[in-house]
Coordinates of all heavy atoms in Angstrom, one line a residue:
M27 N 1.9 29.0 -25.3 CA 2.4 30.4 -25.3 C 3.2 30.6 -24.0 O 2.9 30.1 -22.9 CB 1.3 31.4 -25.4 CG 1.8 32.8 -25.5 SD 0.4 33.9 -25.9 CE 0.4 33.8 -27.7
Y28 N 4.3 31.3 -24.1 CA 5.2 31.6 -22.9 C 5.9 32.9 -23.2 O 6.0 33.4 -24.3 CB 6.1 30.5 -22.6 CG 7.0 30.1 -23.8 CD1 8.3 30.7 -24.0 CD2 6.7 29.1 -24.7 CE1 9.1 30.4 -25.0 CE2 7.5 28.8 -25.7 CZ 8.7 29.4 -25.9 OH 9.5 29.1 -26.9
A29 N 6.5 33.5 -22.2 CA 7.3 34.7 -22.3 C 8.7 34.4 -22.8 O 9.2 33.3 -22.6 CB 7.4 35.4 -20.9
L30 N 9.3 35.4 -23.4 CA 10.6 35.2 -23.9 C 11.3 36.6 -23.7 O 10.8 37.6 -24.0 CB 10.6 34.9 -25.4 CG 12.0 34.7 -26.1 CD1 12.6 33.4 -25.6 CD2 11.8 34.5 -27.6
I31 N 12.6 36.5 -23.2 CA 13.3 37.8 -23.0 C 14.2 38.0 -24.2 O 15.0 37.1 -24.6 CB 14.2 37.7 -21.7 CG1 13.3 37.4 -20.5 CG2 15.0 38.9 -21.5 CD1 14.1 37.1 -19.2
D32 N 14.1 39.2 -24.8 CA 15.0 39.6 -25.9 C 16.3 40.1 -25.3 O 16.3 41.2 -24.7 CB 14.3 40.6 -26.8 CG 15.1 41.1 -28.0 OD1 16.4 40.8 -27.9 OD2 14.5 41.6 -28.9
M33 N 17.3 39.3 -25.3 CA 18.6 39.7 -24.6 C 19.2 40.9 -25.2 O 20.1 41.6 -24.6 CB 19.5 38.5 -24.6 CG 19.1 37.4 -23.8 SD 18.8 37.9 -22.0 CE 18.4 36.3 -21.3
Q34 N 18.9 41.2 -26.5 CA 19.5 42.4 -27.1 C 18.8 43.7 -26.6 O 19.5 44.7 -26.6 CB 19.4 42.3 -28.6 CG 20.2 41.1 -29.1 CD 20.7 41.3 -30.5 OE1 20.5 42.3 -31.1 NE2 21.4 40.3 -31.0
K35 N 17.6 43.6 -26.2 CA 16.9 44.7 -25.6 C 17.1 44.9 -24.1 O 17.0 45.9 -23.5 CB 15.4 44.7 -25.9 CG 15.0 45.0 -27.3 CD 13.5 44.9 -27.4 CE 13.0 45.2 -28.8 NZ 11.5 45.1 -28.8
C36 N 17.2 43.7 -23.4 CA 17.3 43.7 -22.0 C 18.5 44.5 -21.5 O 19.7 44.3 -21.9 CB 17.4 42.3 -21.5 SG 17.5 42.1 -19.7
D37 N 18.3 45.4 -20.5 CA 19.3 46.2 -19.9 C 19.1 46.3 -18.4 O 18.3 47.1 -18.0 CB 19.3 47.6 -20.5 CG 20.4 48.5 -20.0 OD1 21.3 48.0 -19.3 OD2 20.4 49.7 -20.2
P38 N 19.7 45.4 -17.7 CA 19.5 45.4 -16.2 C 19.8 46.8 -15.6 O 19.2 47.1 -14.5 CB 20.5 44.4 -15.7 CG 20.7 43.4 -16.9 CD 20.7 44.3 -18.1
A39 N 20.6 47.6 -16.2 CA 20.9 48.9 -15.6 C 19.6 49.8 -15.6 O 19.5 50.8 -14.9 CB 22.0 49.6 -16.4
A40 N 18.6 49.5 -16.5 CA 17.4 50.3 -16.6 C 16.4 50.0 -15.4 O 15.5 50.7 -15.2 CB 16.7 50.0 -17.9
C41 N 16.7 48.9 -14.7 CA 15.8 48.5 -13.6 C 16.4 49.1 -12.3 O 17.6 49.3 -12.1 CB 15.8 47.0 -13.5 SG 14.9 46.2 -14.8
D42 N 15.5 49.3 -11.3 CA 15.9 49.8 -10.0 C 17.0 48.8 -9.4 O 16.8 47.6 -9.3 CB 14.7 49.8 -9.0 CG 13.7 50.9 -9.4 OD1 14.1 51.9 -10.2 OD2 12.5 50.8 -9.1
S43 N 18.1 49.4 -8.9 CA 19.2 48.7 -8.3 C 19.7 47.5 -9.2 O 20.3 46.6 -8.7 CB 18.7 48.1 -7.0 OG 18.3 49.1 -6.1
Q44 N 19.5 47.6 -10.5 CA 19.9 46.6 -11.5 C 19.3 45.3 -11.2 O 19.8 44.2 -11.6 CB 21.4 46.5 -11.5 CG 22.1 47.8 -12.0 CD 23.5 47.7 -12.3 OE1 24.1 46.6 -12.2 NE2 24.2 48.8 -12.6
K45 N 18.2 45.2 -10.5 CA 17.4 44.0 -10.3 C 16.2 44.0 -11.2 O 15.4 44.9 -11.2 CB 16.9 43.9 -8.8 CG 18.1 43.8 -7.8 CD 17.5 43.8 -6.4 CE 18.7 43.8 -5.4 NZ 18.2 43.9 -4.0
C46 N 16.1 42.9 -12.0 CA 15.0 42.7 -12.9 C 13.7 43.0 -12.3 O 13.3 42.2 -11.4 CB 15.1 41.4 -13.6 SG 13.8 41.0 -14.7
Q47 N 13.0 44.0 -12.7 CA 11.7 44.3 -12.2 C 10.6 43.3 -12.6 O 9.7 43.0 -11.8 CB 11.2 45.7 -12.6 CG 12.1 46.8 -12.0 CD 11.8 48.2 -12.6 OE1 11.7 48.3 -13.8 NE2 11.7 49.1 -11.7
A48 N 10.7 42.7 -13.7 CA 9.8 41.7 -14.2 C 9.9 40.5 -13.3 O 8.9 39.8 -13.1 CB 10.0 41.4 -15.6
R49 N 11.0 40.2 -12.8 CA 11.2 39.0 -12.0 C 10.3 39.1 -10.7 O 9.8 38.1 -10.3 CB 12.7 39.0 -11.5 CG 13.1 37.7 -10.8 CD 14.6 37.8 -10.4 NE 14.6 37.6 -9.0 CZ 14.9 38.5 -8.1 NH1 15.3 39.7 -8.4 NH2 15.0 38.3 -6.8
S50 N 10.2 40.2 -10.1 CA 9.4 40.4 -8.9 C 7.9 40.2 -9.2 O 7.2 40.0 -8.3 CB 9.7 41.7 -8.2 OG 9.3 42.8 -9.0
K51 N 7.5 40.4 -10.4 CA 6.1 40.3 -10.8 C 5.7 38.9 -11.2 O 4.5 38.6 -11.3 CB 5.7 41.2 -11.9 CG 6.0 42.7 -11.6 CD 5.1 43.2 -10.5 CE 5.4 44.6 -10.2 NZ 4.7 45.1 -9.0
C52 N 6.6 38.0 -11.4 CA 6.3 36.6 -11.9 C 5.8 35.8 -10.7 O 6.6 35.5 -9.8 CB 7.5 36.0 -12.5 SG 7.2 34.4 -13.2
P53 N 4.6 35.3 -10.7 CA 4.1 34.5 -9.6 C 4.6 33.1 -9.6 O 4.6 32.5 -8.5 CB 2.6 34.5 -9.9 CG 2.4 34.7 -11.4 CD 3.5 35.6 -11.7
T54 N 5.2 32.6 -10.7 CA 5.7 31.2 -10.7 C 7.3 31.2 -10.6 O 7.9 30.2 -10.6 CB 5.3 30.5 -12.0 OG1 5.9 31.2 -13.1 CG2 3.8 30.4 -12.1
K55 N 7.9 32.4 -10.4 CA 9.3 32.5 -10.4 C 10.0 32.0 -11.6 O 11.1 31.4 -11.5 CB 9.9 31.9 -9.1 CG 9.3 32.6 -7.8 CD 10.0 32.1 -6.6 CE 9.3 32.6 -5.3 NZ 9.1 34.0 -5.2
A56 N 9.4 32.1 -12.7 CA 10.0 31.6 -14.0 C 11.2 32.5 -14.4 O 12.0 32.1 -15.2 CB 8.9 31.6 -15.1
I57 N 11.2 33.8 -14.0 CA 12.3 34.7 -14.3 C 13.2 34.7 -13.1 O 12.8 34.9 -12.0 CB 11.8 36.1 -14.6 CG1 10.8 36.0 -15.8 CG2 12.9 37.0 -14.9 CD1 10.1 37.4 -16.1
W58 N 14.5 34.5 -13.4 CA 15.5 34.6 -12.3 C 16.7 35.3 -12.8 O 17.0 35.4 -14.0 CB 15.9 33.2 -11.8 CG 16.4 32.2 -12.8 CD1 15.7 31.5 -13.7 CD2 17.8 31.9 -13.1 NE1 16.5 30.7 -14.4 CE2 17.8 31.0 -14.1 CE3 19.0 32.4 -12.5 CZ2 19.0 30.5 -14.6 CZ3 20.2 31.9 -13.0 CH2 20.2 31.0 -14.1
Q59 N 17.5 35.9 -11.9 CA 18.6 36.7 -12.2 C 19.7 36.3 -11.1 O 19.5 36.5 -9.9 CB 18.3 38.2 -12.1 CG 19.3 39.1 -12.4 CD 18.9 40.6 -12.3 OE1 18.0 40.9 -11.5 NE2 19.5 41.4 -13.0
P60 N 20.8 35.8 -11.6 CA 21.9 35.3 -10.6 C 22.3 36.4 -9.6 O 22.3 36.2 -8.4 CB 23.0 34.9 -11.5 CG 22.4 34.6 -12.9 CD 21.2 35.5 -13.0
D61 N 22.6 37.6 -10.1 CA 23.0 38.7 -9.3 C 22.5 40.0 -9.9 O 22.3 40.1 -11.1 CB 24.6 38.8 -9.1 CG 25.1 37.6 -8.3 OD1 24.6 37.5 -7.1 OD2 26.0 36.9 -8.8
P62 N 22.3 41.1 -9.1 CA 22.0 42.4 -9.7 C 23.0 42.8 -10.8 O 24.2 42.6 -10.6 CB 22.0 43.3 -8.5 CG 21.8 42.5 -7.3 CD 22.5 41.2 -7.7
G63 N 22.5 43.2 -11.9 CA 23.3 43.6 -13.0 C 23.5 42.5 -14.1 O 23.8 42.8 -15.2
D64 N 23.3 41.3 -13.6 CA 23.4 40.1 -14.6 C 22.1 40.1 -15.4 O 21.0 40.5 -15.0 CB 23.5 38.8 -13.8 CG 24.8 38.6 -13.1 OD1 25.7 39.4 -13.4 OD2 24.9 37.7 -12.3
Q65 N 22.2 39.5 -16.6 CA 21.1 39.2 -17.5 C 20.1 38.3 -16.8 O 20.5 37.3 -16.2 CB 21.5 38.6 -18.8 CG 22.2 39.6 -19.7 CD 21.3 40.6 -20.3 OE1 20.1 40.5 -20.4 NE2 21.9 41.7 -20.8
P66 N 18.8 38.6 -16.8 CA 17.8 37.7 -16.2 C 17.6 36.5 -17.2 O 17.8 36.7 -18.4 CB 16.6 38.5 -16.1 CG 16.7 39.6 -17.1 CD 18.2 39.8 -17.2
Y67 N 17.1 35.4 -16.7 CA 16.8 34.2 -17.5 C 15.4 33.8 -17.3 O 14.8 34.1 -16.2 CB 17.8 33.1 -17.2 CG 19.2 33.4 -17.5 CD1 20.0 33.9 -16.5 CD2 19.7 33.2 -18.8 CE1 21.3 34.2 -16.8 CE2 21.0 33.5 -19.1 CZ 21.8 34.0 -18.1 OH 23.1 34.3 -18.3
L68 N 14.8 33.1 -18.2 CA 13.4 32.7 -18.1 C 13.3 31.2 -18.3 O 13.9 30.6 -19.2 CB 12.6 33.4 -19.2 CG 11.1 33.2 -18.9 CD1 10.4 34.6 -19.0 CD2 10.5 32.3 -19.9
D69 N 12.7 30.5 -17.3 CA 12.5 29.1 -17.4 C 11.1 28.9 -18.0 O 10.1 29.1 -17.4 CB 12.5 28.5 -16.0 CG 12.3 27.0 -16.0 OD1 11.8 26.4 -17.0 OD2 12.5 26.4 -14.9
V70 N 11.1 28.6 -19.3 CA 9.8 28.4 -20.0 C 8.9 27.3 -19.5 O 7.7 27.4 -19.6 CB 10.0 28.2 -21.6 CG1 10.7 29.4 -22.2 CG2 10.8 27.0 -21.9
G71 N 9.5 26.4 -18.8 CA 8.7 25.3 -18.2 C 7.9 25.8 -17.0 O 6.9 25.2 -16.7
R72 N 8.3 26.9 -16.4 CA 7.6 27.4 -15.2 C 6.6 28.5 -15.7 O 5.7 28.9 -14.9 CB 8.5 28.0 -14.2 CG 9.4 26.9 -13.6 CD 10.3 27.5 -12.6 NE 9.6 27.2 -11.3 CZ 10.1 27.4 -10.1 NH1 11.3 28.0 -10.0 NH2 9.5 27.2 -9.1
C73 N 6.8 29.1 -16.9 CA 6.0 30.2 -17.3 C 4.6 29.8 -17.6 O 4.4 28.8 -18.4 CB 6.6 30.8 -18.6 SG 5.7 32.2 -19.2
T74 N 3.6 30.5 -17.1 CA 2.2 30.1 -17.3 C 1.5 31.1 -18.2 O 0.3 31.1 -18.4 CB 1.4 30.1 -16.0 OG1 1.5 31.4 -15.4 CG2 2.0 29.0 -15.0
A75 N 2.3 32.0 -18.8 CA 1.8 33.0 -19.8 C 0.8 34.0 -19.1 O -0.1 34.4 -19.8 CB 1.2 32.4 -21.0
C76 N 1.0 34.3 -17.9 CA 0.1 35.2 -17.2 C 0.2 36.7 -17.6 O -0.6 37.5 -17.4 CB 0.3 35.1 -15.7 SG 1.8 35.8 -15.1
R77 N 1.4 37.0 -18.2 CA 1.7 38.3 -18.8 C 2.0 39.4 -17.7 O 2.1 40.5 -18.1 CB 0.6 38.8 -19.7 CG 0.4 37.9 -20.9 CD -0.8 38.3 -21.7 NE -1.0 37.4 -22.8 CZ -0.7 37.6 -24.1 NH1 -0.1 38.7 -24.4 NH2 -1.0 36.6 -25.0
K78 N 2.1 39.0 -16.5 CA 2.4 40.0 -15.4 C 3.8 40.7 -15.6 O 4.0 41.8 -15.2 CB 2.2 39.4 -14.1 CG 0.8 39.1 -13.7 CD 0.6 38.5 -12.4 CE -0.8 38.2 -12.1 NZ -1.0 37.6 -10.8
C79 N 4.7 40.0 -16.3 CA 6.0 40.5 -16.5 C 6.1 41.5 -17.6 O 7.0 42.4 -17.5 CB 7.0 39.3 -16.8 SG 6.5 38.4 -18.3
L80 N 5.2 41.5 -18.5 CA 5.3 42.4 -19.7 C 5.3 43.9 -19.3 O 6.2 44.6 -19.7 CB 4.1 42.1 -20.7 CG 4.1 40.7 -21.3 CD1 3.0 40.6 -22.3 CD2 5.4 40.4 -22.0
P81 N 4.3 44.4 -18.5 CA 4.3 45.8 -18.2 C 5.4 46.2 -17.2 O 5.7 47.3 -17.0 CB 2.9 46.1 -17.7 CG 2.4 44.8 -17.2 CD 3.1 43.7 -18.1
A82 N 6.0 45.2 -16.5 CA 7.0 45.4 -15.5 C 8.3 45.7 -16.1 O 9.2 46.4 -15.4 CB 7.1 44.3 -14.5
C83 N 8.6 45.3 -17.3 CA 9.9 45.5 -17.9 C 10.0 46.9 -18.5 O 9.2 47.3 -19.4 CB 10.1 44.5 -19.0 SG 11.7 44.7 -19.8
P84 N 10.9 47.8 -18.0 CA 11.0 49.2 -18.4 C 11.5 49.4 -19.8 O 11.2 50.4 -20.5 CB 11.9 49.8 -17.4 CG 12.8 48.7 -16.9 CD 11.9 47.5 -16.9
V85 N 12.1 48.3 -20.4 CA 12.7 48.5 -21.8 C 11.9 47.6 -22.7 O 12.3 47.4 -23.9 CB 14.2 48.2 -21.8 CG1 15.0 49.2 -21.1 CG2 14.5 46.8 -21.3
R86 N 10.8 47.0 -22.3 CA 9.9 46.2 -23.1 C 10.7 45.0 -23.8 O 10.5 44.8 -25.0 CB 9.2 47.0 -24.2 CG 8.4 48.1 -23.6 CD 7.1 47.7 -23.1 NE 6.2 48.8 -22.7 CZ 5.8 49.0 -21.5 NH1 6.1 48.1 -20.5 NH2 5.0 50.0 -21.2
A87 N 11.5 44.4 -23.0 CA 12.4 43.3 -23.6 C 11.7 41.9 -23.5 O 12.3 40.9 -23.9 CB 13.7 43.2 -22.9
I88 N 10.5 41.9 -22.9 CA 9.8 40.6 -22.8 C 8.6 40.6 -23.8 O 7.8 41.5 -23.9 CB 9.3 40.4 -21.4 CG1 10.5 40.5 -20.4 CG2 8.6 39.0 -21.2 CD1 10.2 40.4 -18.9
M89 N 8.5 39.4 -24.4 CA 7.4 39.3 -25.4 C 6.8 37.9 -25.2 O 7.4 37.0 -24.6 CB 7.9 39.4 -26.8 CG 8.9 38.4 -27.2 SD 9.7 38.9 -28.8 CE 11.3 39.2 -28.2
M90 N 5.6 37.7 -25.7 CA 4.9 36.4 -25.6 C 5.1 35.7 -27.0 O 4.9 36.3 -28.0 CB 3.4 36.5 -25.3 CG 3.2 37.2 -24.0 SD 3.9 36.4 -22.6 CE 3.0 34.9 -22.5
V91 N 5.5 34.4 -27.0 CA 5.6 33.7 -28.2 C 4.9 32.4 -28.1 O 4.5 31.9 -27.0 CB 7.1 33.4 -28.5 CG1 7.8 34.7 -28.9 CG2 7.8 32.6 -27.4

C-alpha cells in the first residue's frame, strides 16, 4: 500500500503559500514539489504508507492504494 496524489483534485493554490502541506508532513520525503505553485509528485518507492499526508491535504487529493 502507498499514497497516490489525484492530480485532478490537487490544487497547490489551496495550500499556504502554494507549498504542498502534505509534503511537510511526510517523514520519508516521498512527496516533493519543484517550486511553490507546481504540482507535487510522490515517489512511491519512498512511501511507507504512514498516512500522515492524508489529513494534511486541504483538498483531500491524496489516497491510499
Side-chain angles (χ1 to χ4, degrees):
M27 187 170 272
Y28 57 89
L30 181 68
I31 300 172
D32 183 340
M33 294 300 185
Q34 298 210 359
K35 285 184 182 179
C36 181
D37 180 13
C41 291
D42 292 336
S43 301
Q44 297 188 4
K45 294 179 184 174
C46 178
Q47 292 173 313
R49 186 181 127 252
S50 66
K51 299 296 180 187
C52 181
T54 63
K55 300 189 187 307
I57 300 173
W58 58 277
Q59 184 181 27
D61 289 305
D64 290 347
Q65 289 286 339
Y67 297 95
L68 192 130
D69 180 347
V70 296
R72 297 182 96 173
C73 180
T74 60
C76 71
R77 301 176 184 254
K78 291 181 181 180
C79 59
L80 298 179
C83 180
V85 295
R86 305 277 187 243
I88 303 174
M89 64 191 112
M90 300 304 291
V91 293

